[in-house]
Structures are given as C-alpha cells and as structure tokens.
Amino acid sequence: MSRRKILISACLLGENVKYDGGNNALHVTILERWKDEGVLVPLCPEVLGGLSVPRPACEVLQGTNRVVNRIGEDVSEAFSKGAKESLRIAKLEGVCMAILKARSPSCGKDVIYDGTFTSTRVNDSGITCKLLQESGIAVFSEEELSLAEAFWLSKGN
C-alpha cells in the first residue's frame, strides 16, 4: 500500500501563490521532515481555480458560499472549481489530512473574513476547507501543527 499523504497550502511551503504574489512560508521542523519524507502534496486552490497571481484580495460573503474580490467581482466559480480540483488531487494522492492557510477564503478553518474587507473575522471556514472536511479529510491550519502532527501519528504514520 502506498504511503498516506498530507495536502498543504503551497504558500506555506514558500510558493509565491498568495493574492499579493507573496507566500506564507513556514520554516518548522515538522514540515521540513514531512517534505523530506515526500508526504506533502502542495497546492493552491485559488490558482487551481484559474485565478492569477497576483490577484485582488477575496473574501467569502458572510452566511453564503459566494466569494467576491476587493473590486466587487464575484469569483465564486473559480473558488468552487479550485475546491473541487483540490479534492480530486487529495483523493488521487491518498491524502488523509490537510494543513491549510488560516483565515484564507479558500483554506481558512473555523475563522475567515466576513466579505466586507474591513478585517472583520467570523466563525466560518473557506470553500476548499469545507469541501475537504465534508469528504472526510481532517483539516488543520498552520496554527495547529502540533494537533496535525498528533493526528498524523495516530494514523500510524
């Protein structure tokens, strides 16, 4: 049986896929080890959905699955497409868990911004995070790496 894998937001590994063209690179031992072991599957749902880098900042409109960017365009279709493609890759790669970027409109877990572009946080999750969770994949943010590691070890990895 092939080794289980971990889906990870590409920006966390230093790929310049953030909306502003930058990244959120984390330089932590556990990610370095998983990278060396070849179990990480990096991706960016927004890029997979067809959005450019850089791109206008996006937020989920509170209480909906609609996503708009800072200039008022509805980019929900790109976010939905990226989420579905992320799930397809996760299934193809045998992913059992994901480590996603906190507060992202795609990847945020439990807390995202409310769609007003005023830095107002709400208790909700991003489009890709929700789809992965609904499909049985455990999701952790980069702020929960100790929980992610404990989950990984509990699965016999």
Side-chain angles (χ1 to χ4, degrees):
M1 181 177 143
S2 64
R3 183 123 194 236
R4 283 188 257 203
K5 302 249 179 114
I6 302 168
L7 199 72
I8 188 165
S9 295
C11 63
L12 298 175
L13 293 180
E15 292 187 33
N16 293 325
V17 293
K18 265 182 65 175
Y19 75 92
D20 62 4
N23 66 65
N24 297 300
L26 293 177
H27 301 287
V28 294
T29 306
I30 188 61
L31 291 185
E32 297 297 331
R33 186 169 79 230
W34 285 336
K35 187 176 181 181
D36 291 346
E37 291 172 3
V39 298
L40 295 179
V41 179
L43 56 74
C44 174
E46 295 170 28
V47 171
L48 289 173
L51 297 176
S52 64
V53 178
R55 58 190 168 274
C58 299
E59 293 185 4
V60 178
L61 293 174
Q62 185 175 3
T64 75
N65 275 329
R66 289 190 45 236
V67 185
V68 295
N69 65 22
R70 186 177 290 283
I71 56 177
E73 296 170 323
D74 187 319
V75 290
S76 303
E77 192 172 314
F79 274 73
S80 177
K81 179 182 174 189
K84 290 173 186 167
E85 182 63 8
S86 297
L87 178 60
R88 186 190 71 77
I89 292 168
K91 288 180 176 179
L92 185 70
E93 292 284 346
V95 163
C96 69
M97 66 182 247
I99 300 170
L100 302 180
K101 177 65 190 114
R103 294 174 291 284
S104 153
S106 289
C107 298
K109 178 182 168 255
D110 301 330
V111 177
I112 58 173
Y113 297 104
D114 72 349
T116 63
F117 296 93
T118 59
S119 299
T120 304
R121 296 177 184 187
V122 292
N123 294 327
D124 199 357
S125 293
I127 306 299
T128 298
C129 178
K130 285 181 184 176
L131 185 62
L132 294 174
Q133 288 176 318
E134 288 164 6
S135 301
I137 296 172
V139 176
F140 302 91
S141 81
E142 82 278 14
E143 297 167 351
E144 303 173 311
L145 286 178
S146 59
L147 293 173
E149 184 176 18
F151 178 85
W152 180 251
L153 294 172
S154 78
K155 296 296 177 188
N157 294 299

